[in-house]
Structure formats: C-alpha cells, structure tokens
Amino acid sequence: MKKKILSLLLVLTLVFATFAACGKAESKSDDKEGKTYKVAYIARAQSDSFAAWLANEMKAAAKEYKDIDLEVFDGQADDEKENAAIENAISNGFDAIIVQPNNGEAQRPYVEQVVDAGIIAITTNARIDGIKGASSVDADPYLQAKVNAEQAIKQVPQNGRVVVLKGPSGNFHADERLKAWKEVFFKARPDVKIVGEDFANWNKDEAMQLMEDWVTSQGKIDAIISMNDNMAAGALEVVKDNPDYKNILSYGVDGTAEACLLIEQGKMTSTCLQSAIDLAKLNMETVHKLLTGEEKQIDTNIEEVLITKDNASQYVKMYRERGLITE
C-alpha cells in the first residue's frame, strides 16, 4: 500500500513538473510575441517641407505596427546635431535606428557605430552606400531627375538661359539628380547657357536669395532647374509678380503639396513624386522584417512618378484628403 501511494505521488510530481515546464515555455513565447521594439527615426530637418512630410508619414506608418514604438528626432539640417542624435539613440538602447542623412559622408561613421553596436541600421532619403550590415530604403534620384530632364529637352527654348539650384554637396540625392540633368538635358541641349548655379541646400530661403541675385545680375532667365521642390518654389516666389518672368519654366523633385498646387496653377512646370507616404510605409515594413528576423539585409526603392499639369490635380486632391492642403 505504501509503495502504491509513493508511486502515485511520484506520478503526480512528474505531471506537475511537466505542466510547470510547459507554463514557463509558454510564458517565454508570450514574452517574445508581446515584445515592443523601440525605433528611432533621425530626421534631416523639420524645417524642410519634404523632410517634415516624411517625418509625419513615418509616425502614421508606425501606428500600423502594434509592436513598434517610434520616436522622431530632428537633425535641424546640422551635421553635428544629427550625429549627436544618432549617438544618443545608440546609448539609449533603441532596437533600430533609421537615419535620413543631412550629409551622407558626415553621417557615415555614426551609422557604422549603429551597426557596430549590434543595432539594426537603415539609411533613407538618401541612402548611404557601402556600409556593411546596414539596410536602405530610398528612391532612385537619377531617375527622378531624368524624367524632368527629358521633358525639359523639348520645353526649354533655343539658346535658353537657365539657373541651377543644387542640394547639399556630397548628398547622394543632390549629386545624382545633378548628374542626370548634365547627362540627359545639357548633353542633348548644348545651346542652353547656365547663367547661375549654386548650392541652396534644399532650402527655400537660400534659393530666394540666389534667385534675387540672378534676376538682378542676369536679367532674362528661361528656366529654373532645381534639385528639389522647396528650392524651386523659393525661386518662383521671387519672380511671381514680375511680368518678365510670366512664362518661366521650373522643374523640381519631391512632388510636395506646394509644388503640386503650383503646377496645377500653371506656375511650375513639372516635378517627380517622391512619395513620403510610400517611403514611410516601406521603411516601417523593412524595419519590422529586420527586427523580427524575417530578413537580414534589405535595400529597396520606391517608384518615381512624373507630375505635370495633366495629372497634378489628382495629387492636390490626395493632399487635401490627408489634410496637407487646407485652402
């Protein structure tokens, strides 16, 4: 009888031990499934219209993922401040850091620090090539400028006089867009003369100052060739009430709400959409795949879409629906 009781107690002990082990295993699984990933997004500058749009879309896209907690930091178009933000994100234990570079080469060693710390690193708008262990989500800046340049070949008048507004020196997007204009447009149109060319660093105010100088010193200008919409809009602001520039052509990149309105109104010629909506969604999809281990390395691009007077209204409508145009 004692032997039977001891045997029964032993069986029950084993059963309870098994349940306890299962409970612990299930608890570990639940912990993993319930993990929230901390993601830092280091924005180039909230004063830049496209960068601000992208930061807002990043927040919206992150809300679609219950396991992602996104924090946005403003680099203020300053390399030292952006680099400090990256270092702070590393020390604060973020699981992933997405960097929108102000100047790719200036941010390169700090993104390398992210990788060395064992943190998932993504560069976006513009990517920084050649960092082993870092992923990227971007657009093809050469193609973005190319679709505009192909239009300009037919639109800029013979012996036209143009000004060129450049993005930051060393920035991948700025350099590749300018390269496309040189190889596609200026090579096909050797008759065109550049009467003004300078860096406006994506900034509207800097573009306005340059345009004011060029209008004074050069007089006739047939076209504004800009590496982004913000600078193009700034240059157009300078000549908007001057009848001598009523038919000036203007080209940009980004497809911002302001640019689409200007195109719809016949004040700007064309732009290439760099959809912050698509870019943000692709960034969140990419970082989630990397965080969950579904992928180890991802380098991907969104598509480029030309916006002209023919289709600008559909994008103006899109911006109104998203509350980015309220008038």
Side-chain angles (χ1 to χ4, degrees):
M1 185 68 176
K2 286 182 179 179
K3 288 183 179 179
K4 286 183 180 179
I5 291 171
L6 287 171
S7 298
L8 180 59
L9 287 171
L10 182 60
V11 170
L12 288 172
T13 301
L14 290 171
V15 169
F16 284 126
T18 302
F19 276 124
C22 289
K24 286 179 181 177
E26 287 172 4
S27 178
K28 286 180 181 178
S29 175
D30 289 343
D31 287 343
K32 187 176 181 181
E33 290 174 6
K35 179 176 175 60
T36 297
Y37 299 102
K38 288 175 58 183
V39 178
Y41 173 55
I42 317 295
R44 178 177 67 238
Q46 295 295 278
S47 59
D48 177 306
S49 58
F50 182 80
W53 178 28
L54 180 56
N56 288 333
E57 293 299 338
M58 285 283 202
K59 294 173 189 174
K63 289 178 182 177
E64 299 299 315
Y65 295 86
K66 293 180 180 179
D67 55 352
I68 288 181
D69 180 12
L70 180 74
E71 288 189 51
V72 177
F73 303 90
D74 186 359
Q76 300 178 47
D78 184 301
D79 286 335
E80 288 187 10
K81 290 178 180 176
E82 179 152 0
N83 294 340
I86 297 170
E87 287 186 315
N88 288 337
I90 294 170
S91 62
N92 287 329
F94 280 87
D95 299 298
I97 301 174
I98 304 172
V99 177
Q100 181 192 29
N102 181 58
N103 175 344
E105 290 311 302
Q107 275 73 69
R108 178 183 294 277
Y110 294 87
V111 177
E112 289 172 345
Q113 287 182 35
V114 176
V115 176
D116 291 343
I119 299 169
I120 288 167
I122 298 174
T123 59
T124 189
N125 185 243
R127 66 165 43 95
I128 305 174
D129 280 326
I131 299 179
K132 188 175 181 181
S135 294
S136 65
V137 178
D138 203 5
D140 187 326
Y142 189 95
L143 295 179
Q144 290 174 331
K146 182 174 182 283
V147 294
N148 281 295
E150 288 171 340
Q151 297 287 309
I153 290 171
K154 300 172 284 185
Q155 295 168 338
V156 175
Q158 191 70 21
N159 300 315
R161 294 163 59 84
V162 306
V163 294
V164 179
L165 291 163
K166 301 190 289 187
S169 177
N171 180 280
F172 176 64
H173 276 217
D175 293 346
E176 285 296 301
R177 290 171 190 172
L178 184 61
K179 180 181 176 183
W181 273 102
K182 288 179 177 178
E183 293 180 353
V184 177
F185 176 74
F186 288 108
K187 189 174 181 179
R189 293 292 308 275
D191 59 294
V192 173
K193 182 180 180 182
I194 298 174
V195 297
E197 181 176 8
D198 210 337
F199 297 97
N201 302 307
W202 306 135
N203 189 278
K204 181 182 284 189
D205 290 339
E206 290 185 39
M208 289 179 70
Q209 291 171 8
L210 289 171
M211 192 64 177
E212 286 170 357
D213 292 341
W214 291 331
V215 167
T216 301
S217 63
Q218 300 298 331
K220 181 177 172 59
I221 298 171
D222 296 298
I224 299 161
I225 295 172
S226 177
M227 301 308 114
N228 83 337
D229 291 341
N230 212 33
M231 297 185 295
L236 286 171
E237 183 70 21
V238 173
V239 299
K240 68 177 182 179
D241 297 320
N242 190 329
D244 293 339
Y245 297 92
K246 187 174 78 169
N247 297 316
I248 194 169
L249 302 167
S250 181
Y251 306 90
V253 172
D254 284 337
T256 62
E258 181 179 25
C260 291
L261 273 174
L262 289 169
I263 293 170
E264 185 182 51
Q265 295 163 1
K267 298 174 183 177
M268 186 168 166
T269 311
S270 68
T271 184
C272 177
L273 178 66
Q274 179 170 251
S275 173
I277 300 167
D278 293 343
L279 200 56
K281 287 180 178 177
L282 194 53
N283 263 289
M284 288 303 112
E285 178 184 320
T286 297
V287 77
H288 194 260
K289 286 180 178 179
L290 294 169
L291 285 165
T292 57
E294 184 178 338
E295 300 281 352
K296 298 296 182 186
Q297 171 81 33
I298 300 175
D299 294 290
T300 186
N301 287 334
I302 59 170
E303 294 183 11
E304 60 285 334
V305 178
L306 181 68
I307 299 176
T308 67
K309 188 74 181 289
D310 293 336
N311 63 349
S313 60
Q314 74 183 69
Y315 295 99
V316 170
K317 180 183 177 184
M318 176 194 77
Y319 286 121
R320 284 202 169 102
E321 289 173 347
R322 297 185 78 86
L324 296 172
I325 296 176
T326 56
E327 61 190 48

